[in-house]
Amino acid sequence: TQLLEQSPQFLSIQEGENLTVYCNSSSVFSSLQWYRQEPGEGPVLLVTVVTGGEVKKLKRLTFQFGDARKDSSLHITAAQPGDTGLYLCAGTTNAGKSTFGDGTTLTVKP
Amino acid sequence: DTEVTQTPKHLVMGMTNKKSLKCEQHMGHRAMYWYKQKAKKPPELMFVYSYEKLSINESVPSRFSPECPNSSLLNLHLHALQPEDSALYLCASSHHTGRNTEAFFGQGTRLTVV
């Protein structure tokens, strides 16, 4: 059973469009991280959310943690080709176990 | 210094070879991790070291042998690997293990077993 479900799995959009990636679970997480990974490179940490209902912004990226701390979303405004990559959410449960979602492969076409 | 450095970046080895992957961080982190990642899949946890002691082994075959010589270094010794072990091997570190773990990843070692 996959602890963290990410959707969509693949997303291909035009430059300038907006998009949202979702990360859902039936488990409660004490914290959740979002990473972005380019081919052949390691994941790069974008943000950590820890409080239910928390919203964090990083330039054109908006991250939200669900009130019940079971889900999270990543919204990108006016996507650019440089946003292309694999987006991964990773959650840590109260028991200290961390797991990654399956990832969302985003392609932004010029 | 906020980097996790992995060497080598690429490695090709035969099934009878012995090789080692190396990882180094100077952020004062006390938890270090090895992950294996196949193409278009998320990283899979292999080992966790906490305060230089092995705390988690995710049922990894014995042909993979981790070592933590000190708080800044993490090695992964490889012996008698199979072609299906070809993958991107990622090292990561964090302040500690626990509830709010922010992991910082290295660039990975692309391993090909022939």
Side-chain angles (χ1 to χ4, degrees):
Chain A
T1 302
Q2 179 64 23
L3 193 61
L4 270 172
E5 302 276 352
Q6 252 186 271
S7 61
Q9 190 176 358
F10 297 97
L11 191 54
S12 181
I13 61 172
Q14 292 295 134
E15 182 176 3
E17 292 183 5
N18 302 331
L19 65 114
T20 303
V21 177
Y22 299 93
C23 184
N24 297 301
S25 177
S26 57
S27 298
V28 175
F29 294 105
S30 58
S31 70
L32 192 140
Q33 289 78 37
W34 284 94
Y35 295 85
R36 177 170 162 267
Q37 185 178 21
E38 297 191 28
E41 303 289 331
V44 174
L45 180 67
L46 297 174
V47 79
T48 296
V49 286
V50 297
T51 305
E54 183 176 6
V55 177
K56 282 192 174 179
K57 293 195 174 188
L58 185 66
K59 296 183 181 178
R60 294 175 294 101
L61 278 60
T62 301
F63 305 86
Q64 187 162 6
F65 202 15
D67 291 340
R69 290 185 289 131
K70 294 182 178 181
D71 54 85
S72 182
S73 63
L74 157 60
H75 182 78
I76 302 180
T77 304
Q80 299 176 1
D83 296 327
T84 293
L86 175 67
Y87 288 81
L88 294 157
C89 63
T92 304
T93 66
N94 287 334
K97 182 172 174 62
S98 294
T99 189
F100 279 90
D102 272 347
T104 296
T105 300
L106 172 65
T107 304
V108 182
K109 302 174 186 175
Chain B
D1 185 356
T2 58
E3 284 192 353
V4 176
T5 304
Q6 286 187 246
T7 56
K9 191 166 176 61
H10 300 275
L11 179 62
V12 179
M13 61 184 290
M15 290 187 284
T16 58
N17 291 159
K18 286 185 180 181
K19 296 287 184 182
S20 296
L21 309 185
K22 297 185 182 299
C23 176
E24 189 169 1
Q25 58 87 15
H26 295 287
M27 294 180 277
H29 289 174
R30 303 313 300 268
M32 296 187 77
Y33 310 79
W34 280 115
Y35 286 86
K36 174 183 176 180
Q37 186 178 28
K38 291 283 203 179
K40 300 190 187 303
K41 294 292 187 182
E44 296 175 29
L45 183 64
M46 299 174 72
F47 302 105
V48 180
Y49 273 83
S50 179
Y51 291 84
E52 296 135 64
K53 294 192 185 306
L54 182 65
S55 61
I56 294 177
N57 176 342
E58 290 284 358
S59 302
V60 180
S62 60
R63 58 185 184 269
F64 296 90
S65 176
E67 178 196 19
C68 189
N70 60 56
S71 61
S72 299
L73 296 175
L74 185 66
N75 299 322
L76 186 63
H77 303 296
L78 314 173
H79 174 57
L81 294 195
Q82 303 297 312
E84 59 264 30
D85 295 322
S86 299
L88 182 68
Y89 286 84
L90 293 162
C91 173
S93 71
S94 62
H95 285 289
H96 50 71
T97 58
R99 296 185 175 188
N100 298 326
T101 303
E102 290 186 327
F104 293 83
F105 284 82
Q107 289 191 315
T109 294
R110 172 68 61 190
L111 174 67
T112 303
V113 181
V114 296

